[in-house]
Amino acid sequence: MKNPKNIMVCVTQQKTCERLIKRGAELRDEFDGELFVIHVAKEGWNFLGKTKEGDALEYLFQKSKSYGANLTVVRSQDVLETLKDLTEKHNIDTIVLGESQENSEENNIVSKLGKRLRDEIGFEIVPVKIKKKVV
């Protein structure tokens, strides 16, 4: 019997969140854990970078619900500290993130967050899907 593992999916922009939630659901099913979808917005910023926050939040809620995930949306001055707190609160084993466009170590969210978390927490990085050119 496998040990259940809790999965946290960090989402930012609604257009890319479904592939992350889907991957989180696959991991949750594989390890019999719970799935938590988290969006932390910096205080003063629009959620999901959209002016139509209601539509964006409804989309995120529906996608999370369709994969059987718990959704948490929070505003915070310190996004990384809030994510750390949520990993502890929900006993998270693996964090699913989209591939960062930031190559430098000091600006990469995985590097920054990883330094704040306990060593046992793993990361699953979902690559950006590249659309193939039709010739």
Side-chain angles (χ1 to χ4, degrees):
M1 174 153 170
K2 298 177 199 169
N3 287 338
K5 290 188 179 183
N6 290 337
I7 311 299
M8 181 167 88
V9 178
C10 298
V11 294
T12 54
Q13 298 171 354
Q14 70 178 31
K15 292 175 186 170
T16 62
C17 75
E18 185 173 7
R19 70 187 167 83
L20 302 177
I21 297 169
K22 180 181 178 191
R23 180 62 187 139
E26 291 167 355
L27 291 169
R28 181 234 11 236
D29 293 347
E30 185 179 332
F31 294 107
D32 286 337
E34 287 188 67
L35 179 60
F36 300 89
V37 175
I38 310 292
H39 177 70
V40 181
K42 192 115 171 130
E43 285 181 2
W45 290 10
N46 288 332
F47 282 110
L48 304 166
K50 293 287 201 180
T51 51
K52 294 182 180 179
E53 287 185 10
D55 291 345
L57 290 172
E58 181 63 25
Y59 175 84
L60 187 54
F61 174 75
Q62 291 301 328
K63 289 299 172 192
S64 298
K65 185 177 170 185
S66 73
Y67 286 97
N70 298 298
L71 173 64
T72 302
V73 179
V74 186
R75 287 192 191 273
S76 173
Q77 284 291 47
D78 188 340
V79 172
L80 293 173
E81 191 62 25
T82 300
L83 290 172
K84 176 185 174 277
D85 292 345
L86 289 167
T87 62
E88 292 168 0
K89 177 182 177 185
H90 298 301
N91 196 27
I92 298 299
D93 299 289
T94 302
I95 299 173
V96 176
L97 293 154
E99 184 176 34
S100 175
Q101 300 304 308
E102 199 54 63
N103 293 329
S104 68
E105 176 98 3
E106 66 271 1
N107 291 328
N108 186 305
I109 184 96
V110 176
S111 298
K112 287 180 178 180
L113 186 56
K115 290 175 186 172
R116 295 186 183 210
L117 301 175
R118 65 186 197 278
D119 290 340
E120 301 82 41
I121 296 178
F123 286 94
E124 174 88 14
I125 308 303
V126 179
V128 177
K129 298 220 177 190
I130 299 169
K131 292 181 181 175
K132 293 182 179 178
K133 254 187 176 175
V134 178
V135 241

